[in-house]
Amino acid sequence: MSEPRRLSGFVSGVRVGSAPTRGQQQQHSGLASKARFGTCPTITTFTAAPKATSARSLSRAAVFGNDKRPRATRTTHNSSRSMVMMAASYGDMDIVVAGGTGFVGKRLVRKLLSDGNRVTLLTRSPTVTNALFPTASKCLAFDAAVPRGSVPAEVQDAVSHADAVINLTGAPIADGRWTPERKKELTATRVNSTTILRSAIEHASSENNAPAVFVNASAIGFYGVSESESAFTEDSAAGDDFLAGLCVEWEKAASTAATRVVMIRTGIVLGKDGGALGKMLPLFAIGLGGPLGDGKQWVSWIHEDDEVGIIIEAVKNESLKGAVNAVAPNAVRFGELAAALGRAMSRPSLIPAPAFALKVLLGEQATLVLDGQRVEPKRATEAQYAFQFPDLDSALRNIVS
């Protein structure tokens, strides 16, 4: 996964109280709700202009009062009644996204909004994020780097009103050498955010108001590295290197959330505006591209549109639970990736970067480019996810065109 500060974090230190009942929500909807969010000095909130009211919305309002919509299948209780809420459909969901300003996150949020969902963003920079996504419902302060012992009231309120929670936060893996301090930051930002959101879901669940799904980022680094022709699937065991240990701890923090949990083990995401390919394109453009090391390391890649597609599939498809590999069906060796990129750009791809030089330059972090693993999208395939870009040549042509 990429993106500065995209994968995790604990937030401010406000103690969480009881979540409001449905009656309280009805009494304090609209501007009252906006005012409530504005009371916390550590939170900046922006509210998008209201959408036109549809006949469907009016029908829901007749049943549920001023509450925004039926929640994804759950039972809610108060002192005078018990009722089963109908399932919210994708395209009419309230979705909380943490880490929505990263390479993948920005593309995901745009897609969620364009599909008609209401999105609340948890972010380190609410003002900047609001400028990126002016139609988002809210932008709430959420710092992945700072561990906290309790869930901030504003975050709890957002989670308790959500149909789905998606967490992509975490310090970028490829930025900076892996010093002991940097390793702590990489782990903490991921585990912190996951833990705080899991706690918020548990609190919502205790009041029969949990979101229907928690989609949490992970990575294929879970499997360790291997040059074997044998492919890893979601059933394969974890590896024993630093990245594998990080992913194990990350997934452990998510797995006990009191709802359906999907952990997206992302491969090498290909896109023009970030990730590994974003760094390779300038070199290939001037004819200096080529394989890294001996070029035999596996690259389990995925087009950025399919990465977003699998995350959305995890939200919509109730059959998806646990780990899901977000990779294309056809992994390649790095030498094949370099050659395919050269073809797509009509440029040579013959200049290799020696392994020893990369190890000197990057230290332990060189494993990101010199080592790999062959991974298959077993569960996505079983769920009948239709890849938009199943082969590398079509993916690269789309990206560089």
Side-chain angles (χ1 to χ4, degrees):
M1 313 292 302
S2 9
E3 233 15 86
R5 303 255 178 223
R6 191 193 102 191
L7 287 164
S8 138
F10 280 148
V11 209
S12 71
V14 184
R15 194 92 189 147
V16 126
S18 298
T21 65
R22 291 285 178 193
Q24 289 169 332
Q25 291 167 17
Q26 294 166 3
Q27 293 168 18
H28 298 287
S29 60
L31 292 175
S33 176
K34 184 177 178 183
R36 184 178 67 250
F37 277 102
T39 58
C40 177
T42 63
I43 301 294
T44 304
T45 303
F46 305 87
T47 303
K51 297 161 70 173
T53 303
S54 65
R56 184 179 173 201
S57 298
L58 290 171
S59 173
R60 290 200 309 271
V63 178
F64 300 107
N66 292 329
D67 194 17
K68 288 181 285 187
R69 76 292 174 230
R71 305 299 305 283
T73 314
R74 73 192 74 189
T75 303
T76 182
H77 302 276
N78 62 27
S79 58
S80 61
R81 62 176 179 166
S82 173
M83 109 170 92
V84 177
M85 311 301 285
M86 296 184 300
S89 299
Y90 179 78
D92 190 27
M93 283 184 167
D94 288 288
I95 301 176
V96 171
V97 178
T101 58
F103 168 42
V104 172
K106 283 187 286 191
R107 203 168 187 89
L108 172 66
V109 171
R110 291 187 185 112
K111 177 63 174 169
L112 294 174
L113 290 170
S114 69
D115 285 349
N117 302 287
R118 295 166 295 279
V119 179
T120 293
L121 291 151
L122 307 184
T123 173
R124 294 174 64 241
S125 305
T127 303
V128 173
T129 303
N130 184 66
L132 276 175
F133 306 111
T135 60
S137 298
K138 301 181 187 73
C139 296
L140 306 179
F142 185 82
D143 191 345
V146 182
R148 301 294 182 190
S150 58
V151 183
E154 293 77 9
V155 172
Q156 182 64 64
D157 189 273
V159 169
S160 293
H161 285 78
D163 298 302
V165 175
I166 302 172
N167 180 29
L168 304 178
T169 43
I173 288 286
D175 287 7
R177 291 175 70 94
W178 288 353
T179 63
E181 285 304 310
R182 179 61 175 169
K183 286 183 177 182
K184 289 179 183 178
E185 181 185 15
L186 293 173
T187 301
T189 51
R190 286 159 174 80
V191 175
N192 287 354
S193 66
T194 304
T195 302
I196 200 72
L197 290 172
R198 185 197 67 210
S199 297
I201 291 169
E202 288 170 353
H203 183 81
S205 177
S206 71
E207 300 189 343
N208 300 301
N209 213 30
V213 61
F214 180 30
V215 180
N216 203 68
S218 184
I220 60 171
F222 176 93
Y223 304 110
V225 300
S226 172
E227 290 191 5
S228 171
E229 292 283 340
S230 299
F232 293 103
T233 72
E234 291 88 347
D235 299 319
S236 301
D240 58 6
D241 58 12
F242 165 66
L243 287 180
L246 184 157
C247 290
V248 168
E249 192 172 348
W250 195 2
E251 292 187 8
K252 183 179 179 181
S255 62
T256 57
T259 188
R260 179 169 66 89
V261 178
V262 184
M263 294 163 292
I264 305 293
R265 292 179 182 166
T266 295
I268 306 301
V269 182
L270 301 184
K272 185 181 295 185
D273 300 323
L277 191 61
K279 296 177 181 179
M280 294 170 64
L281 287 172
L283 289 175
F284 275 78
I286 59 175
L288 297 179
L292 302 179
D294 62 12
K296 295 179 180 178
Q297 64 272 39
W298 282 107
V299 180
S300 294
W301 60 276
I302 186 168
H303 189 286
E304 57 188 346
D305 287 347
D306 280 317
E307 171 73 9
V308 168
I310 287 178
I311 293 171
I312 291 174
E313 185 70 15
V315 170
K316 298 191 296 184
N317 191 335
E318 293 184 4
S319 73
L320 285 175
K321 298 177 183 179
V324 174
N325 291 333
V327 295
N330 301 297
V332 298
R333 303 282 188 175
F334 200 103
E336 297 173 74
L337 171 63
L341 184 55
R343 287 194 301 273
M345 299 183 70
S346 300
R347 294 289 189 276
S349 57
L350 303 174
I351 303 176
F356 76 87
L358 291 169
K359 289 177 180 178
V360 170
L361 179 65
L362 301 175
E364 185 182 359
Q365 189 186 358
T367 189
L368 291 175
V369 294
L370 295 177
D371 301 308
Q373 58 282 103
R374 186 179 188 180
V375 180
E376 290 182 351
K378 178 184 175 185
R379 291 188 181 159
T381 302
E382 290 173 346
Q384 299 184 323
Y385 173 76
F387 284 89
Q388 299 177 60
F389 300 97
D391 68 276
L392 184 62
D393 284 324
S394 65
L396 292 176
R397 283 195 302 270
N398 173 266
I399 291 167
V400 304
S401 62

